[in-house]
């Protein structure tokens, strides 16, 4: 029997995404965003507040990067979520992390995170219900250590963090329990 829990954000898992952009002076700012998702083969949607420093920067530069946070860098990923660039001018510098300019867009690639999507601002959708940044992915780069023998990202090697809204915990992805477009194929024959 199910117990009623009221209104809570009950989607699990949620990605732990590191969004980074330059300000008008080329200074790096980064934030942690769990409310994001792929919304097309070359699009990502980020449901983030308009008043974030990172949001304001990417609106000015019309470019940003989205990295997947991993187990190895959980402390900095969490810091990017609890510290605000609006109150902490040296937020990125405090981490000791490094960033290089993307070859594809005017945005920083944070070296330490193993997977990055380099994006151009495609759209801003704003209404009474949400504020959404849509990016067009122009390149994805990954460290070789997270790639399988066939050159694709291997979730067991990536060790991507996922956020849990229920207990406010971080978990790690990796165990494959089935194959998509195959696990339910037997039901097609009924």
């Amino acid at each position: 029997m199910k117990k009623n829990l009221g209104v809570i954000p009950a989607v699990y898992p949620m990605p732990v995404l590191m969004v980074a952009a330059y300000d008008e002076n080329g200074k790096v700012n980064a934030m942690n965003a769990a409310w994001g998702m792929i919304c097309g083969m070359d699009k990502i949607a980020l449901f983030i507040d308009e008043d974030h420093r990172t949001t304001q920067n990417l609106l000015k530069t019309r470019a940003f990067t989205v990295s997947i946070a991993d187990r190895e860098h959980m402390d900095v990923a969490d810091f990017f979520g609890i510290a605000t660039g609006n109150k902490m001018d040296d937020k990125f510098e405090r981490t000791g992390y490094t960033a290089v300019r993307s070859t594809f867009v005017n945005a920083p690639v944070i070296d330490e995170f193993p997977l990055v999507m380099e994006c151009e601002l495609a759209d801003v959708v704003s209404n009474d219900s949400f504020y959404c940044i849509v990016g067009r992915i122009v390149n994805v780069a990954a460290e070789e250590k997270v790639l399988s023998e066939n050159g694709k990202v291997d979730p067991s090697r990536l060790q991507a963090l996922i956020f849990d809204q229920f207990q406010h915990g971080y978990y790690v992805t990796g165990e494959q329990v089935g194959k998509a477009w195959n696990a339910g194929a037997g039901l097609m024959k009924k």
Side-chain angles (χ1 to χ4, degrees), residues 96-117:
Y97 276 24
T98 54
V100 297
R101 186 173 298 276
S102 163
T103 304
F104 298 91
V105 298
N106 180 25
V109 172
I110 301 172
D111 278 339
E112 287 73 11
F113 295 113
L115 179 70
V116 63
M117 291 165 272

Side-chain angles (χ1 to χ4, degrees), residues 25-161:
N25 299 313
K27 183 178 175 66
V28 176
N29 191 265
M31 66 175 285
N32 179 324
W35 295 40
M37 61 186 289
I38 294 297
C39 62
M41 289 304 291
D42 68 341
K43 302 274 187 322
I44 186 166
L46 304 171
F47 298 90
I48 55 180
D49 289 336
E50 186 176 4
D51 63 345
H52 286 296
R53 165 91 40 104
T54 306
T55 306
Q56 291 304 307
N57 290 342
L58 71 85
L59 290 172
K60 291 174 188 167
T61 61
R62 304 193 55 78
F64 58 99
T65 59
V66 180
S67 297
I68 303 292
D70 63 335
R71 169 183 261 168
E72 184 179 349
H73 303 100
M74 179 177 57
D75 56 345
V76 171
D78 189 58
F79 172 73
F80 283 154
I82 57 179
T84 173
N86 288 327
K87 295 180 181 175
M88 187 180 292
D89 194 50
D90 65 343
K91 177 179 170 181
F92 184 77
E93 292 79 7
R94 284 185 189 206
T95 67
Y97 276 24
T98 54
V100 297
R101 186 173 298 276
S102 163
T103 304
F104 298 91
V105 298
N106 180 25
V109 172
I110 301 172
D111 278 339
E112 287 73 11
F113 295 113
L115 179 70
V116 63
M117 291 165 272
E118 298 161 85
C119 305
E120 295 174 340
L121 181 62
D123 202 1
V124 177
V125 182
S126 179
N127 59 41
D128 291 341
S129 298
F130 62 84
Y131 186 85
C132 178
I133 299 293
V134 179
R136 184 175 73 79
I137 302 166
V138 299
N139 186 56
V140 176
E143 294 288 337
E144 287 189 35
K145 70 180 183 179
V146 303
L147 300 179
S148 64
E149 292 73 32
N150 65 2
K152 295 184 178 183
V153 176
D154 181 340
S156 66
R157 293 180 183 180
L158 180 60
Q159 297 259 306
L161 288 182

Side-chain angles (χ1 to χ4, degrees), residues 13-25:
M14 295 182 76
V16 180
L17 306 173
M18 302 293 100
V19 182
Y22 288 123
D23 70 8
E24 59 276 357
N25 299 313

